[in-house]
Amino acid sequence: MSPVDPQVPPAGEEIHLPGLSAQPLLVAVGTTILLIGVTFNWFVFAFGVIMTTWVIINWVRESNADIAELPVHDEGHH
């Protein structure tokens, strides 16, 4: 580091990014099936609703488990 470079404070927190997931694609597929079912057949519609609901519920569960693994951040001390 040269004397001309500005002092950079240390990083306060690590950035957390979720891992790769197929859930966004599966929600899109389920929603597409649901919408096709509205037009053609109620069995297809029901399958799309069940698939989309199941994927969203699992996605929320995985997200909650991922968030629970993060370190606790104390907002009171800055």
Side-chain angles (χ1 to χ4, degrees), residues 10 25 34:
L25 176 65
L34 179 154

Side-chain angles (χ1 to χ4, degrees), residues 20-29 54-56 58-60 62:
L20 294 176
S21 175
Q23 276 114 347
L25 176 65
L26 293 175
V27 168
V29 169
W54 178 76
V55 172
I56 290 173
N58 284 323
W59 194 357
V60 169
E62 281 187 26

Side-chain angles (χ1 to χ4, degrees), residues 30 34 43-57:
L34 179 154
F43 289 114
V44 176
F45 171 75
F47 177 76
V49 168
I50 292 168
M51 178 180 174
T52 303
T53 304
W54 178 76
V55 172
I56 290 173
I57 288 170

